[in-house]
Amino acid sequence: MKIENIRPGDIEAESFRIIGELLGDRKLDPRYEHIIKRCIHTSADFDYADSLYFSEGAEERIARGIREGAVIVTDTKMAQAGINKTRIGKYGGQVLCYIGDSDVAEEAKSRGLTRSYVSMEKASRLGRPVIFAIGNAPTALMAICDLAEARQLDPVAVIGVPVGFVNVEASKERLIRSGIPCIVARGRKGGSNIAACIVNAIQYSL
């Protein structure tokens, strides 16, 4: 296999060209094509062409939320680090993650809960519009649904793409059934990188 000599600035464009070529005749919903292709670009996994679920209006709510300065809360430092914060900050928003906070760790231990669950409870007290980007913890999705059902949280939208085996699929399907505006990677696949890339795909389109 020959190594191609491609200028650094052209690598991403060439990657997206190859993705389009490999997708062949498969038709993607034009409303979400930029998100689906960026997920494929991030993971080299073409399953995202089929597994990504978009509730009606979720992408538009996230875009509007970013423009209006909503806070983005992630469940991992990796997702937080992966989100491009330039445009988020330009609109007055922030990208927050509470997973490493000492008060979260102490409360989680005392109550026998995961730090991810307690992190979402902490986020519910922000008093600002919140977009959740969840790429690791099913318990974070469970907390969001529990808080929404108790009318303690009304998210702008939730990006629910945790990866793994324990309660992953069930938590995603619960989120879909909840009626909360959401983008979900159905099945076991996902990850912090996918959560971040979905946020980035949306903000790059603004």
Side-chain angles (χ1 to χ4, degrees):
M1 185 173 290
K2 183 181 178 182
I3 299 294
E4 298 180 70
N5 185 20
I6 300 175
R7 293 178 299 179
D10 295 335
I11 292 174
E12 182 173 289
E14 177 63 7
S15 295
F16 278 94
R17 186 196 66 77
I18 292 170
I19 289 168
E21 184 177 273
L22 293 175
L23 282 168
D25 295 332
R26 181 180 296 185
K27 299 297 181 185
L28 304 178
D29 188 322
R31 296 175 297 173
Y32 311 127
E33 184 174 352
H34 61 298
I35 299 172
I36 296 168
K37 285 185 174 179
R38 189 159 288 278
C39 288
I40 294 171
H41 176 256
T42 295
S43 63
D45 189 339
F46 282 80
D47 283 355
Y48 288 110
D50 300 310
S51 67
L52 283 175
Y53 166 87
F54 300 83
S55 71
E56 190 63 37
E59 190 270 345
E60 292 88 347
R61 284 177 64 91
I62 294 170
R64 184 169 66 249
I66 291 172
R67 286 195 300 265
E68 294 176 354
V71 175
I72 298 171
V73 173
T74 71
D75 63 329
T76 64
K77 294 290 186 182
M78 182 182 293
Q80 182 187 32
I83 294 171
N84 187 319
K85 300 166 189 67
T86 302
R87 191 174 278 109
I88 302 293
K90 170 187 171 184
Y91 291 115
Q94 295 173 278
V95 183
L96 304 176
C97 180
Y98 298 124
I99 197 71
D101 290 6
S102 58
D103 59 328
V104 167
E106 290 167 9
E107 186 173 347
K109 184 177 181 180
S110 69
R111 293 169 60 195
L113 297 171
T114 67
R115 287 184 296 161
S116 299
Y117 194 103
V118 176
S119 292
M120 299 303 109
E121 292 182 325
K122 185 170 182 176
S124 74
R125 299 189 290 271
L126 275 168
R128 293 176 60 184
V130 179
I131 298 163
F132 290 93
I134 309 302
N136 185 69
T139 54
L141 293 189
M142 294 179 204
I144 291 167
C145 291
D146 287 346
L147 290 161
E149 287 176 6
R151 299 185 183 277
Q152 296 174 22
L153 179 66
D154 185 19
V156 173
V158 179
I159 295 167
V161 293
V163 61
F165 299 92
V166 179
N167 290 327
V168 168
E169 293 175 280
S171 66
K172 292 174 178 178
E173 294 304 318
R174 182 184 175 192
L175 174 61
I176 290 170
R177 293 193 306 271
S178 73
I180 297 169
C182 62
I183 299 173
V184 174
R186 283 182 136 148
R188 293 173 175 159
K189 294 182 180 181
S192 296
N193 60 334
I194 298 299
C197 94
I198 291 173
V199 175
N200 289 338
I202 294 171
Q203 66 163 318
Y204 293 160
S205 69
L206 297 178

